[in-house]
Amino acid sequence: MLSPDERREIDAELANYEFREAAGIEALKVVQRHRGWVTDEALADLEPVLGLSAAELDAVATFYDKIYRKPVGRHVIFVCSSISCWVMGYENVRDYLLDRLGILLGQTTADNRFTVLPTACLGACDLAPVMLVDDDLHCNLTPPEVDAILARYE
Amino acid sequence: MEEITLTIDGSEARGRRGDTILNVCERNGIDVPTLCHFPGLGDIGACRLCLVEIVGARGLTTACTTPASTGMVVKTNTPAINALRRATIELLFAERNHQCPYCEMSSDCELQKLGYRFGIDTVRYAAMNPKLNVDASSPYFVLDHDRCVLCRRCVRTCAEIAGISAIGFKDRGAKTLVAFDLDAQAADSSCEACGTCVQVCPTGALFDKRSAYKGHLADCARVATSCQQCSLGCATQGVSRGRTVLRVDGDFNGAPNYGLLCAKGRYEALRPAGTRYSAPLIRQNGELHEASWEAALDLVAAKLKEAKQEVGSKSVVGLATPWASNEMLYLMDWIFRAGFGVVFAVAGADEALNRAAAVQTVTGGSAAAEADFDAVRRADFVLLLGADPAKTHPVLAGLLRRRVNRGDARLAIVGAAGNALGRLACLYLAPRPGSEGVIVNGFLKSILAEGLAHSHLPPKLAGQLAPYTPEAVAAITGLAAGEIGLLARNLASARRPLVIYGGPYLASAELASSAVSLGLVAGGIDGRRVPALGLSLAPNGTAAAHLADGHGLYALANAAAVFAALGDGPDGQVVNSLRVTEFLAVMAAYPSPLSGRADVILPAPTWAERHGTFLAGDGNRRDVASLIPGPAGMPSEMETLAALGARLGAAASFADEYLAAKVELALALPGADPLRAAPVFVDYL
Ligand code: SF4
Ligand code: SF4
Ligand code: SF4
Ligand code: FES
Ligand code: FES
């Protein structure tokens, strides 16, 4: 069941669109904000609200890499692995980061603090290499800076 | 329709406003390669094979999604475009597993055809060889991701044609996979196994289990026919090879289904109903023995004559069901009633009879008929009154879902809880069982009181409405008075309302009349049709109702000798009503409880071998063609009946003339009553 807060936020989104299906992405973001990730149950809850079937909602949810269909840690780190960041040597940053957290790409730390995922271009190629932690973009990264950044996220 | 003129490949091409470039090409016989495009589905520009050049525009564009306009100069066939198409096709071959010789669809596959068309004898890209699953969980079809080209035809079909959306895409890019629900197996998903997606899949990704590896289309015959499983009579095409029907396809151009079928019509009909009878059987000392046709027919005729003489003509019954064709019904009627002078009865026509009586009562015997099935595609407000089409007439449910999903119609339901279309309803009222008539009277009174009526009611019906105030109706039905008024108001103020009734409303002429009255008052008569439609089940109920004189089973109560030709009709009721002591002959394709009691069994063709005409539930004609020949030496139902008729003293030549005239009349305008037009009949009861 959608919580009253979720329902209110989704209704506010619905008011912006002529067709309720159009609010699908925003509705997925709302439940993700409240529940941490998009559970099967969340999709079932959204079906009647959006007039979309579970299959259709899952198609949207799995298309976007920033909508999670699996549990993630408290903070999600997206390391850009696309071409500009690759040219600028993102692998060093990535390897350092994973090493510090003791996990592999796609995994979550045992204390549930961080999940690290790859992503293709964050639109900040001029500042490569970059990574996104929650909603914060961190640019021109070098391995030594990573520790300080991680320290800011509990 | 405004005309537009373009220049395509150097020649003038005409189209209509609203056409895409691809539409104009099709109209003008210009063959642009496509893969994701399928007529009737919304175009999405997924496959990029229809790329064309619009002179003066930047880059190339997809013909299937670009609106055409006057003055455009389009090139569809340049070396540059074809090089891109070729690369796209090669990438498709490289992306998954396309080892055509092992594939069910080889030679009928659209990807393979494109490969040939573009001369692809080698693929320049390394094969990706992903490890993908095969979902063979459905009893009817297989999903092999290895052959999928991600054209989304199946996804669009399920959403736009079936209105179910059980199937979608998961993930993106080359990793994208077709998925049922949240990645369930097809058999465990919300898929209703209508098979429409299987029919539209261009490759071997979705294929039919039954017809798999049994032949290429070039080896098969494709015959247009109609489904005989319910009163919709969906337009189908039987695909057969030799003496086997391989599969049944929906006809995308045929009413009332326009391509959509249900599991019953597409798949279940092909399940053999047992081991069929191959030769006539005669019971001697309790045992059935094979006999010649001559001997069997002679025996049936002799026994029927004997019973007529000794017990009386009212104790001899020729019994049919509304599952039989027009030709069979009328021929039986002639042989037994007119020719031989005994009883001809139709069992199982109750629903159709109640519908016919209702129209008669409500429209005062005018030549009006109920709505036709196409009315569903025009209606903007549909009331399901006791009807649960998802259970009884799944294709009609699909047509409704489609309209409601697109916002073209609103749906209201009055009936028991659990209606599968409940999710789509803007109003769902579940009155107490037993108050079916009361709630309709409440709607009628409310519509009349608010001055929203589009037609008068016959005075007799109108006079009964006084006590049905919203409050009184609310008390009896257990609903709120406001809900009753709200539904009535919405129905009667719609531009094209339609009342679809079923369940309890088919069970008596009174309740059927109240359903038809509601349609009449809410929508008036449009042409000769009342916007009400009863979902009776039997495929030839309309014709049976014209012929049946009362509810046929009564005739069995004191029958001494019975000749039963039930077509594919169920025989449960018949067996229960049967009191035969003297003699029972049954014409049937498969063993059943009824034939288990027969003294003589005459083998009949199956539905796939039969040909003839039916009158669907909306009175419209359906042609049934024989898809495969029957076993050698097996006469048609008509031939068997004619041979029996001749033995009963009816001249065969007259049978032909009579039959032609009768069927002609039956197929005349809907609502016409062939019986009334030709009073050749003797009263027998
Ligand atoms: S789907 Fe078509 S192209 Fe692919 S293997 Fe089958 S026949 Fe060949
Ligand atoms: S068989 Fe019918 S219901 Fe099932 S996925 Fe295909 S179109 Fe949808
Ligand atoms: S299963 Fe068939 S129809 Fe569906 S996307 Fe794949 S190739 Fe297209
Ligand atoms: S490639 Fe990393 S931000 Fe664009
Ligand atoms: S047919 Fe136009 S993109 Fe596929």
Side-chain angles (χ1 to χ4, degrees):
Chain A
M1 262 245 295
L2 292 173
S3 71
D5 280 348
E6 287 174 329
R7 184 70 222 217
R8 190 169 29 76
E9 288 169 41
I10 291 170
D11 283 342
E13 290 298 340
L14 283 167
N16 295 329
Y17 302 98
E18 186 182 346
F19 300 105
R20 48 188 185 153
E21 300 91 315
I25 299 173
E26 295 305 327
L28 288 164
K29 283 161 68 181
V30 168
V31 294
Q32 174 161 301
R33 224 167 21 242
H34 286 271
R35 307 182 190 192
W37 60 291
V38 177
T39 58
D40 288 359
E41 192 197 14
L43 294 182
D45 292 345
L46 291 177
E47 276 184 61
V49 181
L50 298 168
L52 289 169
S53 75
E56 287 169 322
L57 281 162
D58 198 30
V60 178
T62 56
F63 184 85
Y64 292 104
D65 65 355
K66 289 169 192 68
I67 293 177
Y68 317 129
R69 288 286 280 117
K70 286 183 185 146
V72 290
R74 286 196 298 286
H75 306 286
V76 179
I77 303 177
F78 282 99
V79 182
C80 176
S81 60
S82 199
I83 189 144
S84 304
C85 293
W86 173 71
V87 168
M88 297 304 285
Y90 89 97
E91 295 102 317
N92 298 332
V93 178
R94 177 196 64 194
D95 294 347
Y96 182 83
L97 173 72
L98 293 173
D99 201 43
R100 292 310 303 239
L101 297 176
I103 55 175
L104 299 174
L105 263 188
Q107 293 185 333
T108 301
T109 53
D111 59 0
N112 205 37
R113 189 168 156 214
F114 291 110
T115 300
V116 183
L117 298 167
T119 190
C121 193
L122 287 161
C125 304
D126 54 330
L127 306 171
V130 302
M131 72 181 192
L132 188 72
V133 186
D134 297 342
D135 287 336
D136 311 326
L137 193 64
H138 299 278
C139 307
N140 293 321
L141 291 171
T142 57
E145 288 165 1
V146 166
D147 289 306
I149 294 172
L150 290 181
R152 283 189 241 157
Y153 298 91
E154 253 321 300
Chain B
M1 195 70 70
E2 197 187 315
E3 206 181 59
I4 53 174
T5 313
L6 293 71
T7 306
I8 303 182
D9 296 339
S11 315
E12 187 185 274
R14 287 170 196 282
R16 294 191 190 143
R17 210 183 140 80
D19 277 357
T20 60
I21 294 176
L22 182 63
N23 294 148
V24 180
C25 290
E26 282 167 349
R27 285 184 201 286
N28 292 273
I30 300 161
D31 185 7
V32 176
T34 59
L35 188 56
C36 66
H37 169 78
F38 189 85
L41 296 178
D43 280 303
I44 54 168
C47 72
R48 320 308 288 177
L49 284 170
C50 67
L51 285 180
V52 293
E53 179 187 340
I54 302 175
V55 174
R58 207 182 129 205
L60 300 178
T61 186
T62 45
C64 67
T65 55
T66 308
S69 57
T70 290
M72 271 183 173
V73 179
V74 179
K75 293 182 184 171
T76 73
N77 196 8
T78 67
I81 297 175
N82 286 331
L84 282 174
R85 288 177 178 152
R86 202 191 138 96
T88 303
I89 298 165
E90 284 182 67
L91 286 167
L92 286 172
F93 273 106
E95 192 173 86
R96 303 232 166 140
N97 177 336
H98 292 285
Q99 305 293 332
C100 300
Y102 303 98
C103 178
E104 201 289 307
M105 276 295 271
S106 188
S107 100
D108 299 325
C109 168
E110 292 183 35
L111 177 62
Q112 192 187 50
K113 288 200 176 98
L114 286 164
Y116 282 123
R117 176 166 170 184
F118 286 88
I120 292 170
D121 43 19
T122 172
V123 173
R124 286 169 289 171
Y125 311 104
M128 291 174 70
N129 282 327
K131 295 257 172 301
L132 300 174
N133 289 330
V134 174
D135 178 352
S137 63
S138 160
Y140 309 117
F141 59 82
V142 174
L143 167 59
D144 181 353
H145 295 286
D146 277 316
R147 321 283 198 209
C148 175
V149 291
L150 302 176
C151 67
R152 277 188 96 93
R153 281 194 196 177
C154 54
V155 176
R156 285 175 284 154
T157 298
C158 195
E160 298 170 24
I161 297 185
I164 293 173
S165 300
I167 191 168
F169 270 9
K170 198 175 120 73
D171 292 325
R172 68 168 150 177
K175 285 198 312 198
T176 308
L177 290 179
V178 164
F180 291 88
D181 293 351
L182 302 178
D183 218 3
Q185 295 274 294
D188 308 327
S189 74
S190 59
C191 164
E192 296 192 357
C194 71
T196 316
C197 59
V198 181
Q199 190 181 331
V200 305
C201 178
T203 68
L206 279 166
F207 65 90
D208 199 76
K209 276 190 175 173
R210 182 186 158 93
S211 63
Y213 300 103
K214 294 216 179 96
H216 308 315
L217 272 182
D219 308 319
C220 298
R222 183 182 278 278
V223 176
T225 184
S226 310
C227 181
Q228 301 164 54
Q229 299 290 313
C230 85
S231 64
L232 285 176
C234 288
T236 62
Q237 293 178 346
V239 176
S240 59
R241 188 175 186 183
R243 288 184 187 278
T244 312
V245 182
L246 294 184
R247 64 169 193 272
V248 175
D249 280 348
D251 180 346
F252 285 93
N253 298 312
N257 52 314
Y258 303 96
L260 182 62
L261 293 180
C262 73
K264 246 189 317 182
R266 193 188 294 271
Y267 297 120
E268 286 299 316
L270 289 171
R271 236 181 241 272
T275 311
R276 66 184 298 183
Y277 293 123
S278 53
L281 298 172
I282 293 177
R283 195 177 297 277
Q284 281 163 336
N285 308 324
E287 295 283 316
L288 286 168
H289 297 282
E290 274 196 21
S292 70
W293 278 95
E294 294 296 312
L297 284 165
D298 287 345
L299 181 62
V300 175
K303 288 286 188 183
L304 294 180
K305 281 182 184 163
E306 190 183 304
K308 182 184 173 192
Q309 206 126 51
E310 284 169 16
V311 198
S313 57
K314 286 183 185 166
S315 303
V316 179
V317 178
L319 186 73
T321 72
W323 271 260
S325 65
N326 289 327
E327 289 74 8
M328 222 176 115
L329 286 172
Y330 284 95
L331 188 53
M332 289 213 24
D333 178 64
W334 174 70
I335 289 173
F336 289 96
R337 177 151 48 176
F340 187 44
V342 296
V343 179
F344 169 62
V346 183
D350 304 35
E351 293 180 341
L353 280 164
N354 292 337
R355 291 180 61 196
V359 175
Q360 185 82 14
T361 312
V362 175
T363 64
S366 68
E370 290 190 349
D372 63 3
F373 291 124
D374 264 351
V376 175
R377 293 160 36 100
R378 296 186 297 264
D380 61 354
F381 191 98
V382 176
L383 169 63
L384 291 181
L385 190 60
D388 192 348
K391 294 204 183 84
T392 57
H393 297 66
V395 166
L396 190 95
L399 297 176
L400 277 170
R401 273 193 299 257
R402 217 145 115 181
R403 267 194 89 67
V404 177
N405 286 343
R406 277 201 306 242
D408 295 334
R410 284 175 303 149
L411 178 74
I413 299 178
V414 171
N419 193 304
L421 296 181
R423 203 171 56 86
L424 299 180
C426 61
L427 270 168
Y428 191 152
L429 308 184
R432 281 192 193 116
S435 62
E436 288 85 5
V438 173
I439 191 164
V440 175
N441 285 340
F443 294 145
L444 286 169
K445 187 172 168 73
S446 163
I447 294 172
L448 292 165
E450 295 196 25
L452 293 173
H454 288 73
S455 171
H456 296 294
L457 269 184
K460 187 168 155 272
L461 292 171
Q464 298 167 353
L465 293 180
Y468 297 98
T469 60
E471 293 69 31
V473 172
I476 301 172
T477 57
L479 299 166
E483 294 176 315
I484 295 161
L486 183 65
L487 197 153
R489 208 168 306 125
N490 272 284
L491 179 69
S493 40
R495 281 185 49 201
R496 287 179 302 276
L498 177 64
V499 175
I500 298 180
Y501 64 98
Y505 291 91
L506 286 169
S508 76
E510 288 71 37
L511 284 177
S513 298
S514 63
V516 176
S517 314
L518 185 57
L520 177 72
V521 168
I525 285 198
D526 171 14
R528 293 174 56 206
R529 292 188 180 268
V530 184
L533 183 55
L535 288 190
S536 50
L537 193 64
N540 208 8
T542 311
H546 282 313
L547 274 178
D549 197 351
H551 295 219
L553 295 175
Y554 301 137
L556 292 181
N558 44 24
V562 174
F563 175 84
L566 305 190
D568 300 331
D571 67 359
Q573 272 190 323
V574 174
V575 173
N576 290 339
S577 318
L578 208 57
R579 302 263 181 287
V580 168
T581 46
E582 302 293 318
F583 181 73
L584 172 65
V586 174
M587 175 159 80
Y590 295 105
S592 70
L594 183 68
S595 67
R597 288 177 55 178
D599 300 298
V600 175
I601 295 166
L602 302 174
T606 64
W607 67 265
E609 294 154 13
R610 176 183 301 146
H611 65 94
T613 57
F614 283 67
L615 294 182
D618 61 357
N620 285 328
R621 167 188 182 141
R622 298 286 186 264
D623 289 320
V624 164
S626 97
L627 305 180
I628 47 171
M634 169 87 68
S636 73
E637 288 155 321
M638 307 297 294
E639 285 164 341
T640 303
L641 287 176
L644 179 63
R647 284 171 171 77
L648 292 175
S653 63
F654 180 52
D656 288 344
E657 275 166 42
Y658 174 85
L659 190 66
K662 286 316 230 180
V663 171
E664 201 60 32
L665 276 165
L667 299 176
L669 279 179
D673 187 334
L675 278 197
R676 241 157 282 277
V680 229
F681 298 88
V682 283
D683 257 346
Y684 63 87
L685 277 177

